[in-house]
Amino acid sequence: MSSEAEGRFHILDVSSLTSRPLRSTLRTDDGVRIEAVYEPSGASVTDTAVVLAHGFTGSADRPAVRRAARALAERGAAVVTFSFRGHGRSGGRSTVGDREVLDLSAAVRWARELGHARVATVGFSMGGSVVLRHAALERGTEARADAVAAVSAPARWYYRGTAPMRRVHWVVTRPAGRLVGRYGLGTRIDSRAWDPVPLSPVEAVPLIAPTPLLIVHGDRDPYFPLDHPRMLAAAGDAELWVERGMGHAENAAEGELLARLGDWLTRA
Protein backbone atom coordinates (compact mmCIF):
# COMPACT_ATOMS: atom_id res chain seq x y z
CA MET A 1 0.00 0.00 0.00
CA SER A 2 1.44 3.39 -0.89
CA SER A 3 0.46 6.87 0.14
CA GLU A 4 0.35 7.85 -3.53
CA ALA A 5 -2.23 5.20 -4.29
CA GLU A 6 -4.40 6.23 -1.35
CA GLY A 7 -4.03 9.97 -1.90
CA ARG A 8 -2.63 12.46 0.60
CA PHE A 9 -5.92 13.10 2.41
CA HIS A 10 -7.42 9.60 2.31
CA ILE A 11 -8.39 8.44 5.80
CA LEU A 12 -8.53 4.80 6.85
CA ASP A 13 -10.29 3.36 9.89
CA VAL A 14 -7.41 2.14 12.07
CA SER A 15 -9.65 -0.52 13.61
CA SER A 16 -9.91 -2.20 10.20
CA LEU A 17 -6.15 -2.77 9.92
CA THR A 18 -4.58 -6.12 10.65
CA SER A 19 -2.18 -6.63 13.53
CA ARG A 20 0.70 -7.12 11.08
CA PRO A 21 3.08 -4.28 10.10
CA LEU A 22 2.24 -2.45 6.88
CA ARG A 23 4.92 -1.24 4.47
CA SER A 24 4.54 1.79 2.26
CA THR A 25 6.51 3.99 -0.10
CA LEU A 26 5.88 7.66 0.64
CA ARG A 27 6.65 10.64 -1.57
CA THR A 28 8.11 13.79 0.01
CA ASP A 29 7.26 17.30 -1.09
CA ASP A 30 10.52 17.44 -3.07
CA GLY A 31 9.80 14.13 -4.81
CA VAL A 32 12.00 11.68 -2.88
CA ARG A 33 10.61 8.18 -2.28
CA ILE A 34 10.80 7.12 1.37
CA GLU A 35 10.27 3.59 2.71
CA ALA A 36 8.02 3.46 5.77
CA VAL A 37 6.58 0.83 8.12
CA TYR A 38 3.38 1.06 10.18
CA GLU A 39 3.21 -1.09 13.31
CA PRO A 40 -0.18 -1.21 15.11
CA SER A 41 -0.28 -0.85 18.86
CA GLY A 42 0.51 -4.00 20.79
CA ALA A 43 -1.96 -2.97 23.47
CA SER A 44 -5.16 -1.83 21.79
CA VAL A 45 -6.51 0.39 19.03
CA THR A 46 -5.50 3.95 19.84
CA ASP A 47 -5.84 7.37 18.29
CA THR A 48 -2.12 8.08 18.94
CA ALA A 49 0.69 7.20 16.55
CA VAL A 50 4.38 7.75 17.27
CA VAL A 51 6.66 8.49 14.32
CA LEU A 52 10.23 7.36 15.03
CA ALA A 53 13.15 9.11 13.32
CA HIS A 54 16.43 7.15 13.38
CA GLY A 55 19.98 8.41 13.64
CA PHE A 56 22.58 8.94 10.91
CA THR A 57 23.43 5.64 9.11
CA GLY A 58 20.31 3.96 10.56
CA SER A 59 17.21 2.73 8.73
CA ALA A 60 13.71 1.41 9.36
CA ASP A 61 14.98 -2.17 9.41
CA ARG A 62 17.97 -1.77 11.73
CA PRO A 63 17.61 -3.99 14.83
CA ALA A 64 17.80 -1.06 17.27
CA VAL A 65 15.04 0.78 15.40
CA ARG A 66 12.79 -2.29 15.25
CA ARG A 67 13.40 -2.93 18.97
CA ALA A 68 12.45 0.66 19.81
CA ALA A 69 9.34 0.46 17.63
CA ARG A 70 8.16 -2.71 19.37
CA ALA A 71 8.78 -1.21 22.80
CA LEU A 72 6.80 1.94 21.95
CA ALA A 73 3.94 -0.09 20.45
CA GLU A 74 3.67 -2.02 23.69
CA ARG A 75 2.90 1.25 25.52
CA GLY A 76 -0.35 1.81 23.66
CA ALA A 77 0.56 3.73 20.50
CA ALA A 78 0.87 2.68 16.90
CA VAL A 79 4.36 3.33 15.52
CA VAL A 80 5.56 4.57 12.13
CA THR A 81 9.21 4.01 11.30
CA PHE A 82 10.88 5.11 8.07
CA SER A 83 14.28 5.42 6.46
CA PHE A 84 15.58 8.92 5.88
CA ARG A 85 16.64 9.81 2.34
CA GLY A 86 19.92 8.15 1.43
CA HIS A 87 19.36 5.44 4.06
CA GLY A 88 18.04 1.91 3.70
CA ARG A 89 15.76 1.47 0.68
CA SER A 90 14.75 5.13 0.51
CA GLY A 91 15.78 7.21 -2.47
CA GLY A 92 17.85 10.36 -2.62
CA ARG A 93 20.94 11.32 -0.67
CA SER A 94 21.34 12.26 2.97
CA THR A 95 21.63 15.96 3.73
CA VAL A 96 22.46 15.09 7.35
CA GLY A 97 19.49 16.83 8.96
CA ASP A 98 18.45 19.53 6.49
CA ARG A 99 15.88 18.25 3.95
CA GLU A 100 15.17 15.26 6.19
CA VAL A 101 12.42 17.43 7.70
CA LEU A 102 10.47 16.69 4.50
CA ASP A 103 10.87 12.95 5.08
CA LEU A 104 9.49 13.25 8.60
CA SER A 105 6.59 15.39 7.36
CA ALA A 106 5.63 12.68 4.86
CA ALA A 107 5.66 10.05 7.62
CA VAL A 108 3.53 12.21 9.95
CA ARG A 109 0.99 12.85 7.18
CA TRP A 110 0.82 9.10 6.50
CA ALA A 111 0.06 8.43 10.16
CA ARG A 112 -2.81 10.92 9.98
CA GLU A 113 -4.08 9.37 6.74
CA LEU A 114 -4.23 6.04 8.57
CA GLY A 115 -6.75 7.61 10.94
CA HIS A 116 -4.67 8.77 13.91
CA ALA A 117 -5.95 12.00 15.39
CA ARG A 118 -2.81 12.52 17.46
CA VAL A 119 0.75 12.04 16.17
CA ALA A 120 3.86 12.35 18.34
CA THR A 121 7.44 12.31 17.07
CA VAL A 122 10.60 10.90 18.63
CA GLY A 123 14.03 11.25 17.07
CA PHE A 124 17.47 9.90 17.90
CA SER A 125 20.72 11.84 17.25
CA MET A 126 20.34 13.26 13.70
CA GLY A 127 16.68 12.25 13.95
CA GLY A 128 16.50 14.24 17.19
CA SER A 129 17.65 17.39 15.42
CA VAL A 130 15.08 16.70 12.68
CA VAL A 131 12.10 16.32 15.04
CA LEU A 132 13.01 19.63 16.70
CA ARG A 133 13.23 21.52 13.41
CA HIS A 134 10.11 19.77 12.09
CA ALA A 135 8.09 20.78 15.16
CA ALA A 136 9.14 24.40 14.69
CA LEU A 137 8.53 24.53 10.94
CA GLU A 138 5.31 22.51 10.62
CA ARG A 139 3.21 24.17 13.34
CA GLY A 140 -0.42 24.47 12.30
CA THR A 141 -0.11 22.18 9.27
CA GLU A 142 -1.37 18.65 8.62
CA ALA A 143 2.20 17.44 9.25
CA ARG A 144 2.39 18.98 12.74
CA ALA A 145 3.54 17.00 15.77
CA ASP A 146 1.35 16.90 18.89
CA ALA A 147 4.27 15.97 21.19
CA VAL A 148 8.02 15.83 20.52
CA ALA A 149 10.91 13.93 22.11
CA ALA A 150 14.53 14.40 21.01
CA VAL A 151 17.03 11.78 22.22
CA SER A 152 20.82 12.31 21.99
CA ALA A 153 20.30 15.35 19.77
CA PRO A 154 22.91 18.03 19.04
CA ALA A 155 22.10 21.60 20.02
CA ARG A 156 24.18 23.26 17.32
CA TRP A 157 25.63 22.48 13.91
CA TYR A 158 29.27 21.76 12.98
CA TYR A 159 30.19 20.40 16.40
CA ARG A 160 33.62 18.70 16.32
CA GLY A 161 34.44 18.60 20.02
CA THR A 162 34.61 14.81 20.34
CA ALA A 163 36.54 12.18 18.37
CA PRO A 164 33.35 10.40 17.15
CA MET A 165 31.99 13.68 15.76
CA ARG A 166 35.28 14.42 14.01
CA ARG A 167 34.93 11.02 12.31
CA VAL A 168 31.35 11.85 11.31
CA HIS A 169 32.52 15.12 9.75
CA TRP A 170 35.20 13.24 7.80
CA VAL A 171 32.56 10.83 6.44
CA VAL A 172 30.25 13.68 5.46
CA THR A 173 32.69 16.22 4.02
CA ARG A 174 35.43 14.19 2.31
CA PRO A 175 35.04 12.20 -0.95
CA ALA A 176 36.80 9.20 0.61
CA GLY A 177 34.55 9.52 3.65
CA ARG A 178 31.42 9.51 1.51
CA LEU A 179 32.65 6.33 -0.16
CA VAL A 180 33.00 4.77 3.28
CA GLY A 181 29.51 6.02 4.08
CA ARG A 182 28.05 4.49 0.93
CA TYR A 183 29.77 1.12 0.88
CA GLY A 184 30.69 0.64 4.53
CA LEU A 185 27.74 2.25 6.31
CA GLY A 186 25.01 1.88 3.69
CA THR A 187 24.39 5.63 3.59
CA ARG A 188 24.43 7.77 0.45
CA ILE A 189 25.49 11.31 1.37
CA ASP A 190 24.95 14.48 -0.66
CA SER A 191 28.27 16.15 -1.50
CA ARG A 192 26.83 19.68 -1.56
CA ALA A 193 27.28 22.00 1.42
CA TRP A 194 24.18 23.46 3.08
CA ASP A 195 22.98 26.59 1.28
CA PRO A 196 21.44 28.19 3.21
CA VAL A 197 22.41 26.73 6.57
CA PRO A 198 19.18 25.39 8.13
CA LEU A 199 17.68 26.52 11.40
CA SER A 200 19.72 24.92 14.19
CA PRO A 201 18.09 22.68 16.82
CA VAL A 202 18.62 25.24 19.60
CA GLU A 203 17.09 27.96 17.41
CA ALA A 204 14.10 25.71 16.73
CA VAL A 205 13.26 24.97 20.37
CA PRO A 206 11.73 28.38 21.25
CA LEU A 207 9.36 28.03 18.28
CA ILE A 208 7.90 24.68 19.41
CA ALA A 209 5.74 25.77 22.38
CA PRO A 210 2.99 25.09 23.30
CA THR A 211 3.65 21.61 21.89
CA PRO A 212 4.99 19.38 24.72
CA LEU A 213 8.74 18.87 24.33
CA LEU A 214 11.05 16.32 25.97
CA ILE A 215 14.87 16.31 25.74
CA VAL A 216 16.61 13.02 26.63
CA HIS A 217 20.38 12.54 26.81
CA GLY A 218 22.82 10.04 28.26
CA ASP A 219 25.54 11.18 30.65
CA ARG A 220 27.99 8.90 28.80
CA ASP A 221 27.17 10.04 25.29
CA PRO A 222 30.48 9.88 23.36
CA TYR A 223 29.23 12.19 20.57
CA PHE A 224 27.56 15.15 22.32
CA PRO A 225 28.39 16.16 25.93
CA LEU A 226 25.75 17.36 28.37
CA ASP A 227 26.02 21.01 27.41
CA HIS A 228 23.98 20.10 24.29
CA PRO A 229 20.81 18.86 26.04
CA ARG A 230 21.10 21.56 28.69
CA MET A 231 21.32 24.22 26.00
CA LEU A 232 18.27 22.76 24.24
CA ALA A 233 16.20 22.55 27.43
CA ALA A 234 17.12 26.10 28.44
CA ALA A 235 16.09 27.50 25.06
CA GLY A 236 12.37 26.88 25.55
CA ASP A 237 9.63 25.16 27.50
CA ALA A 238 11.08 21.64 27.67
CA GLU A 239 11.36 18.73 30.08
CA LEU A 240 14.90 17.31 30.44
CA TRP A 241 15.83 13.72 31.31
CA VAL A 242 19.54 13.03 31.84
CA GLU A 243 19.94 9.24 31.78
CA ARG A 244 22.65 7.81 34.01
CA GLY A 245 25.03 5.45 32.23
CA MET A 246 23.41 5.88 28.80
CA GLY A 247 25.49 6.22 25.65
CA HIS A 248 24.26 7.51 22.29
CA ALA A 249 20.94 7.28 20.46
CA GLU A 250 18.75 4.25 19.70
CA ASN A 251 21.54 1.71 20.13
CA ALA A 252 21.96 2.79 23.75
CA ALA A 253 18.26 3.11 24.64
CA GLU A 254 17.36 0.41 27.15
CA GLY A 255 13.91 -1.13 27.47
CA GLU A 256 13.08 0.80 30.64
CA LEU A 257 13.83 4.14 28.97
CA LEU A 258 11.83 3.18 25.87
CA ALA A 259 8.88 2.28 28.10
CA ARG A 260 9.04 5.68 29.83
CA LEU A 261 9.36 7.38 26.45
CA GLY A 262 6.32 5.52 25.17
CA ASP A 263 4.28 6.56 28.20
CA TRP A 264 5.34 10.20 27.82
CA LEU A 265 4.62 10.30 24.09
CA THR A 266 1.15 8.79 24.44
CA ARG A 267 0.12 10.94 27.43
CA ALA A 268 1.96 14.26 27.09
Side-chain angles (χ1 to χ4, degrees):
M1 183 178 73
S2 74
S3 62
E4 294 173 82
E6 295 295 335
R8 174 168 292 184
F9 300 104
H10 187 79
I11 301 296
L12 296 179
D13 179 3
V14 177
S15 64
S16 69
L17 299 176
T18 70
S19 60
R20 299 177 59 187
L22 301 176
R23 287 189 174 264
S24 178
T25 300
L26 313 179
R27 180 72 70 89
T28 67
D29 285 344
D30 62 344
V32 177
R33 292 179 178 271
I34 301 297
E35 66 167 341
V37 183
Y38 174 85
E39 191 154 344
S41 169
S44 62
V45 173
T46 175
D47 68 347
T48 297
V50 174
V51 178
L52 190 159
H54 63 75
F56 183 58
T57 75
S59 76
D61 288 326
R62 288 290 175 90
V65 173
R66 301 286 2 118
R67 177 175 57 85
R70 288 191 298 269
L72 294 173
E74 289 172 358
R75 309 309 291 183
V79 181
V80 171
T81 52
F82 65 98
S83 297
F84 280 121
R85 60 186 62 205
H87 294 72
R89 289 188 289 271
S90 291
R93 294 177 183 272
S94 174
T95 63
V96 200
D98 179 11
R99 300 188 71 80
E100 282 73 12
V101 167
L102 302 177
D103 309 343
L104 179 58
S105 293
V108 170
R109 285 195 298 263
W110 187 46
R112 295 198 186 278
E113 289 167 8
L114 289 171
H116 293 283
R118 183 177 180 279
V119 181
T121 58
V122 57
F124 295 86
S125 192
M126 181 188 78
S129 71
V130 173
V131 300
L132 294 173
R133 294 184 55 244
H134 169 270
L137 297 172
E138 292 283 16
R139 290 175 305 165
T141 75
E142 62 171 349
R144 71 190 181 281
D146 297 300
V148 182
V151 184
S152 305
R156 53 195 185 272
W157 301 136
Y158 306 113
Y159 178 73
R160 292 179 171 85
T162 59
M165 279 309 299
R166 289 191 287 274
R167 290 193 291 270
V168 169
H169 279 275
W170 179 81
V171 168
V172 171
T173 62
R174 301 296 181 87
R178 290 191 291 273
L179 285 174
V180 170
R182 183 181 185 95
Y183 296 107
L185 303 174
T187 303
R188 305 173 305 281
I189 304 165
D190 199 316
S191 62
R192 294 170 293 184
W194 286 338
D195 185 19
V197 175
L199 185 75
S200 72
V202 73
E203 292 170 327
V205 167
L207 305 178
I208 295 173
T211 301
L213 172 60
L214 173 65
I215 306 296
V216 182
H217 213 89
D219 65 359
R220 294 187 181 179
D221 190 315
Y223 288 81
F224 304 113
L226 288 175
D227 63 309
H228 284 260
R230 288 170 178 156
M231 184 181 297
L232 291 171
D237 185 8
E239 186 174 346
L240 173 62
W241 297 354
V242 175
E243 298 297 309
R244 182 174 297 178
M246 179 183 169
H248 186 69
E250 59 263 46
N251 290 325
E254 301 286 349
E256 187 272 338
L257 170 59
L258 293 170
R260 279 191 285 122
L261 265 174
D263 289 340
W264 189 93
L265 289 162
T266 54
R267 298 170 186 170

